[in-house]
Amino acid sequence: MTRIIGGDAAAVRLRVPARGTRPTSDKVREAMFGALEAAFEFAGARVLDLYAGSGALGLEALSRGAESVVLVEKSQRAARDLRENADAVTARLDGASAAVEAVEVSRWLARGLGEFDLVFVDPPYEVDTAALVAELEQLLPLLSPDALVVVERSVRSTPLAAPAGYATWRTKEYGETTLFYLEVDEASR
């Protein structure tokens, strides 16, 4: 069972698509949000969740005080569950908004809409590192100056070096998962 683990919508259960997604475990999410809370102010943040699946990451940020979240997921089937999850979480929050975009990540990024303070990038593990780096490069113009980007990868994936425009803030392994925390490198922007 996947659920929101903290904030005003804690314990809301999330629907997880039967196929095609790999939800981030509660253990990894707890560790991720513990690290983020030490360095990031959720209140009023604009969040982007790429490869959203159930929306657990973006909706968790919303529950912890973010102002808005855009959830991008190309699977139409997953997007239906994602809309239900977004509705269940926002019903518990005053003034927070969640938008679901059922489109491929690179196509959504090409639109260049919005500015974001926190971004979650959790692609299927089979997405190769070169494709991921290209998407991170597309993402860069959409980031606020103090933005953080959290990328989730398999420990077996090619390690992710910070692409141009980014600096690695932290890297942490949890079992089969590696989290890469990136920040905007203002010197190269």
Side-chain angles (χ1 to χ4, degrees):
M1 171 186 67
T2 299
R3 61 185 173 78
I4 300 297
I5 54 177
D8 292 338
V12 170
R13 292 182 183 194
L14 302 176
R15 294 177 57 101
V16 176
R19 293 182 317 206
T21 63
R22 176 194 33 77
T24 303
S25 72
D26 284 357
K27 175 186 169 189
V28 172
R29 275 190 296 127
E30 285 178 21
M32 177 191 301
F33 279 88
L36 287 172
E37 285 180 335
F40 183 80
E41 178 60 48
F42 285 98
R46 297 155 299 179
V47 178
L48 176 61
D49 188 347
L50 301 175
Y51 299 97
S54 68
L57 298 176
L59 295 172
E60 184 74 40
L62 204 63
S63 177
R64 292 171 186 251
E67 174 181 298
S68 62
V69 64
V70 176
L71 304 145
V72 180
E73 172 57 55
K74 76 175 181 176
S75 165
Q76 295 294 324
R77 180 175 292 145
R80 283 191 296 275
D81 288 341
L82 191 50
R83 285 184 184 94
E84 287 183 32
N85 292 342
D87 289 346
V89 170
T90 57
R92 300 268 302 268
L93 307 172
D94 288 332
S97 67
V100 175
E101 297 284 338
V103 64
E104 188 175 287
V105 166
S106 60
R107 292 186 74 187
W108 190 88
L109 289 170
R111 294 180 192 163
L113 302 172
E115 183 178 71
F116 298 94
D117 306 305
L118 178 62
V119 180
F120 299 103
V121 185
D122 185 10
Y125 285 164
E126 60 270 11
V127 170
D128 71 19
T129 301
L132 176 59
V133 167
E135 289 175 347
L136 289 170
E137 289 169 350
Q138 272 187 289
L139 172 65
L140 190 59
L142 303 178
L143 299 176
S144 66
D146 295 323
L148 289 176
V149 178
V150 183
V151 180
E152 183 174 337
R153 299 292 282 160
S154 167
V155 295
R156 293 186 216 120
S157 299
T158 303
L160 179 67
Y166 293 92
T168 301
W169 171 57
R170 176 183 179 161
T171 302
K172 188 75 175 161
E173 288 185 12
Y174 301 94
E176 287 296 310
T177 301
T178 302
L179 298 178
F180 298 90
Y181 298 83
L182 306 174
E183 56 191 354
V184 176
D185 182 2
E186 282 301 316
S188 66
R189 217 168 181 195

